[in-house]
Amino acid sequence: MININKICVVGAGNVGVAAAVDIYNATQKEVILHTSKANNLNSSFTKIDTDNNIIRKANIQVTDNYDISMNNTDLIIITVPTFVMKPVIENISKYNPKIVLFIPGFGSKEFFCQKLISKECIIAGLSRSPYICRLKDPQTVNASKKKELQVATVNKCDDIDLILSELFEIPVIKYPNYLVVSFTPSNPILHTARLYSMFKDSDFYTKFPNMIKFYGEWTDFSSEILIKMDEELNQIIKKLSNIDLSMHVNLRDYYESQSIEEMTKKIATIKSWHNIDSPMIKKDDYYLIDKNSRYFIEDFTFGLCNLKGFAEIVGIETPTMDIVLKWYQKISKIELFNKYNEFKGTGLENSGIPQNFGINTIEDIEKFYIGE
């Protein structure tokens, strides 16, 4: 098994702080937290387990200096949003880590890692975050840990599941290839379906009288859009029959909800999600949609756009994805579809679609993910 001695967690947000504290406690090895907020943080961090109220503390070095965080580092765990990924990966590529792990792994992150892949660095990604968590303050995080994780790598690593199981202290299942992670039906369709269902008749200037619970007030229409986009994703998967995607789990099975009504009840009653607010900001006595939220910038540009990009390559029509993306184009003023209704808008230049990385055919997809 690969020997891991020095670990760097990039990003001091919800997941980054939770992961750094847990890994420090699990391994007692050198853990560094790399963040642009380093000057505002000290080395004392706390994680409160919301399932059992167990409190973990950790003394972790914090820095924004890449030489300090990346030199002789074996494992780099990246938790920052995809829309700031490019410069982060460019800086990391100057060093020689053994493993780079993305949390979560979907959203086209693997495409940014060509130089690291050529240096035989193992690129790994989790299908979902290990935690449902929120920072109580910059040094303290409330977190509920998942019971199991799933991981895949772009290039081969037989021991990745064992390595991560030791770090996170829970079972880790290894997927046969990274595309299973890339197609995880999570934020790219979960968040975008909900945003469309809530705000389809609104824009960034619409005033709302109150905050809306993102999951706690989930509706049947949200479930309908979600299920339709998941079905379109499944059609994309069927076209890639040469790639082992047998471990992909669709949303109906994942949430054990076969009907729209069952899906609504399931999502609306997940206890750890119930009080999560929508991406909205308070202004005087009203609320506006937060156009700078990760829910918009990441989950459309590097999430749903990415899935639509794959659909274009394999020749699958995605009418529901198109409706949601065209709504986002309308309110964001980012051109995704051109005047001929083709998914070739100028705004896609800054997205995570596979075409931006030289992947234009099914053969290109197979070569990238399975080396054939």
Side-chain angles (χ1 to χ4, degrees), residues 5 41 56 64 108 115 212 235 263 308 313:
N5 290 310
L41 298 172
R56 277 183 155 179
D64 59 3
S108 71
K115 186 173 181 180
I212 303 170
Q235 291 302 310
M263 184 69 75
K308 174 63 179 177
I313 293 172

Side-chain angles (χ1 to χ4, degrees), residues 139-158:
Q139 309 275 159
T140 306
V141 64
N142 292 318
S144 171
K145 188 187 290 186
K146 303 283 180 64
K147 304 302 181 186
E148 180 184 277
L149 298 175
Q150 301 81 33
V151 68
T153 60
V154 175
N155 34 15
K156 188 176 180 181
C157 180
D158 293 333

Side-chain angles (χ1 to χ4, degrees), residues 287-299:
Y287 289 83
L288 296 175
I289 302 171
D290 183 5
K291 64 181 179 181
N292 296 315
S293 166
R294 286 178 66 166
Y295 283 58
F296 286 99
I297 300 175
E298 181 162 38
D299 295 327

